[in-house]
């Protein structure tokens, strides 16, 4: 069971609801240890005194505010005294339309849960009211000696709390970015074609269809280096679209999107079992300049044609095909097909 990162009272109006806060997300980022080159010795970060170079025990570390010419030391107890109870209170000061809160303000997400079954009704009441009104509760809370602006909203069948950036933390893009276009005009034909492209590429939002492909490639790199195999290089990034060719690129993109969607709908049943839909795989292949499998080939070859070279290489590794690291994509397909045929022959 997850461990609560904060507990206190959520209040709105005269209603107080004891709640606990649980982290809603986790990172699956691949992390490398720092090593000294030529050894397996890890390089660690330590709490070191800058002047003496000696490590400082955790209990001797205090907070100090830099005034320029000196530090003002602040004890933990003094921080609690200036705002007693504020670190245990999550008071909603008002409710706003969800559509009014711009996404740039949202930061991290937490789940809110009642501290006991006896508070289930109050919890359910607030959840249902927010969901029906399409509102979020705006509040502030102090956690780890830091005050957060937060939004409390209904998400599925739970209440979620989103920490938010303060207004002065959100930068003005027109002040920060000097290369923003200034009132660039586009023709009606260009706009209409671009709208068609957006509509042709519109899909239902299903987050489970997306996964961290970069992380998968990093793991393949690590495995290849571990086993002494060669590493496949990725596809180069697409070239920028010339302004002169903009309409041609838009029209071609619309036609490609329509073809991809049509083929994806025809093969939709094959997307079951957690695999990405065929339309996404085919679109990725077309963007990379690959050609999907031809209908005239056998079902075995057609199935392999739909895979990327990295996926073919993974299957070749599982089948223990010799020389796979130096094979082209077509050679991998041929080798996998032949491997399957030899296995069937031996089985018979």
């Amino acid at each position: 069971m997850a461990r609560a990162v904060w507990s206190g009272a959520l209040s709105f109006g005269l209603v107080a609801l004891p709640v606990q806060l649980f982290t809603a997300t986790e990172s699956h980022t691949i992390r490398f240890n720092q090593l000294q080159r030529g050894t397996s010795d890890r390089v660690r970060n330590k709490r070191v005194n800058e002047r003496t170079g000696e490590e400082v025990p955790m209990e001797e570390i205090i907070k100090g505010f830099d005034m320029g010419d000196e530090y003002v030391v602040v004890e933990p107890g003094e921080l609690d005294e200036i705002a007693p109870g504020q670190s245990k209170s999550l008071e909603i000061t008002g409710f706003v339309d969800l559509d009014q809160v711009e996404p740039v303000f949202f930061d991290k997400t937490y789940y809110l849960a009642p501290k006991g079954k006896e508070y289930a009704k109050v919890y359910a009441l607030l959840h249902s009211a927010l969901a029906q009104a399409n509102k979020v509760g705006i509040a502030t809370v102090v956690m780890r000696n830091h005050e957060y602006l937060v939004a409390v909203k209904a998400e599925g069948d739970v209440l979620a709390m989103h920490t938010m950036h303060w207004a002065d933390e959100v930068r003005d893009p027109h002040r920060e970015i000097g290369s923003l276009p200034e009132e660039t005009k586009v023709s009606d034909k260009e706009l209409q074609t671009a709208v068609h492209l957006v509509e042709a590429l519109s899909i239902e939002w299903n987050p489970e269809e997306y996964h961290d492909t970069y992380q998968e490639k990093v793991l393949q790199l690590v495995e290849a280096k571990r086993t002494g195999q060669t590493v496949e290089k990725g596809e180069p990034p697409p070239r920028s679209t010339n302004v002169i060719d903009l309409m041609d690129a838009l029209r071609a993109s619309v036609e490609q999107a329509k073809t991809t969607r049509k083929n994806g709908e025809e093969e939709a049943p094959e997307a079951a079992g957690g695999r990405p839909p065929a339309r996404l795989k085919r679109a990725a292949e077309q963007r990379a300049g690959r050609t999907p499998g031809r209908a005239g080939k056998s079902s075995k070859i057609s199935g392999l044609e739909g895979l990327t070279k990295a996926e073919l290489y993974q299957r070749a590794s599982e089948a223990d095909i010799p020389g796979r690291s130096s094979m082209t994509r077509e050679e991998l397909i041929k080798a996998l097909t032949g491997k399957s045929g030899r296995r069937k022959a031996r089985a018979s």
Side-chain angles (χ1 to χ4, degrees):
M1 183 177 292
R3 182 178 178 182
V5 299
W6 180 89
S7 63
L10 167 64
S11 59
F12 52 103
L14 299 178
V15 180
L17 170 62
V19 294
Q20 300 180 89
L21 208 61
F22 296 86
T23 304
T25 60
E26 60 183 358
S27 174
H28 292 162
T29 301
I30 296 175
R31 300 186 184 279
F32 292 92
N33 291 318
Q34 292 181 318
L35 307 176
Q36 184 175 353
R37 187 180 297 277
T39 74
S40 297
D41 302 334
R42 289 181 59 180
V43 178
R44 299 177 181 271
N45 296 321
K46 294 185 177 181
R47 300 181 180 89
V48 175
N49 185 307
E50 289 183 348
R51 181 178 58 82
T52 65
E54 297 179 357
E55 188 173 355
V56 180
M58 189 65 188
E59 61 272 14
E60 293 186 14
I61 298 177
I62 57 176
K63 295 181 182 294
F65 188 84
D66 188 358
M67 298 294 294
D69 56 346
E70 64 175 336
Y71 283 97
V72 175
V73 175
V74 178
E75 299 290 345
E78 294 175 318
L79 292 173
D80 293 335
E81 290 173 356
I82 60 173
Q86 193 169 352
S87 61
K88 294 295 181 182
S89 175
L90 176 58
E91 182 179 358
I92 296 176
T93 56
F95 298 94
V96 302
D97 290 335
L98 177 58
D99 297 336
Q100 287 185 331
V101 184
E102 299 174 5
V104 69
F105 281 93
F106 289 113
D107 187 14
K108 293 183 179 180
T109 304
Y110 297 87
Y111 292 135
L112 278 166
K115 291 187 71 172
K117 293 182 179 180
E118 63 270 28
Y119 306 111
K121 186 171 185 178
V122 180
Y123 182 92
L125 182 63
L126 177 59
H127 173 275
S128 300
L130 289 175
Q132 184 170 325
N134 195 36
K135 301 273 188 180
V136 295
I138 302 299
T140 57
V141 63
V142 175
M143 294 189 297
R144 306 184 187 95
N145 297 321
H146 187 94
E147 184 172 23
Y148 295 89
L149 178 68
V150 302
V152 178
K153 65 185 293 284
E155 303 236 356
D157 56 355
V158 301
L159 284 174
M161 187 192 84
H162 301 269
T163 58
M164 304 172 68
H165 297 289
W166 300 97
D168 61 0
E169 294 178 330
V170 178
R171 295 178 174 179
D172 181 352
H174 295 280
R175 293 182 57 184
E176 300 294 329
I177 306 173
S179 59
L180 283 177
E182 297 181 3
E183 298 183 4
T184 303
K185 293 183 178 180
V186 296
S187 68
D188 292 339
K189 184 179 292 185
E190 289 172 335
L191 178 59
Q192 196 66 24
T193 308
V195 170
H196 287 326
L197 177 57
V198 171
E199 292 174 345
L201 290 174
S202 296
I203 59 176
E204 293 294 330
W205 167 236
N206 183 5
E208 294 180 355
E209 292 183 0
Y210 302 86
H211 54 102
D212 190 343
T213 57
Y214 177 75
Q215 177 173 264
E216 293 173 356
K217 292 177 181 177
V218 172
L219 290 175
Q220 290 173 2
L221 169 64
V222 172
E223 177 62 18
K225 292 180 71 68
R226 185 183 73 84
T227 55
Q229 300 178 29
T230 57
V231 182
E232 178 194 6
K233 293 185 178 180
E235 299 288 341
R239 290 180 296 179
S240 300
T241 301
N242 192 302
V243 176
I244 300 176
D245 304 325
L246 181 58
M247 275 303 297
D248 290 338
L250 286 171
R251 292 193 190 100
S253 299
V254 172
E255 292 304 316
Q256 176 181 294
K258 289 179 178 178
T259 302
T260 300
R261 167 165 289 183
K262 180 180 178 181
N263 293 337
E265 290 173 351
E266 291 175 354
E267 299 183 21
E270 298 179 7
R275 294 187 60 188
R279 57 188 167 80
L280 291 179
K281 183 167 291 184
R282 182 171 285 104
E285 291 173 346
Q286 289 175 346
R287 284 196 299 271
R290 305 187 186 96
T291 303
R294 295 181 177 86
K297 296 185 178 181
S298 66
S299 59
K300 172 67 177 178
I301 297 179
S302 297
L304 294 175
E305 283 283 357
L307 301 178
T308 64
K309 184 178 179 182
E311 292 170 329
L312 290 169
Y313 180 82
Q314 181 64 30
R315 291 201 177 187
S317 299
E318 295 171 355
D320 197 24
I321 294 177
R324 57 187 177 274
S325 60
S326 59
M327 290 182 180
T328 63
R329 187 171 180 276
E330 289 70 25
E331 289 171 339
L332 284 170
I333 293 175
K334 186 176 180 180
L336 286 168
T337 307
K339 188 80 173 180
S340 176
R342 288 194 297 273
R343 283 181 177 175
K344 290 180 179 178
R346 285 197 297 268
S348 61

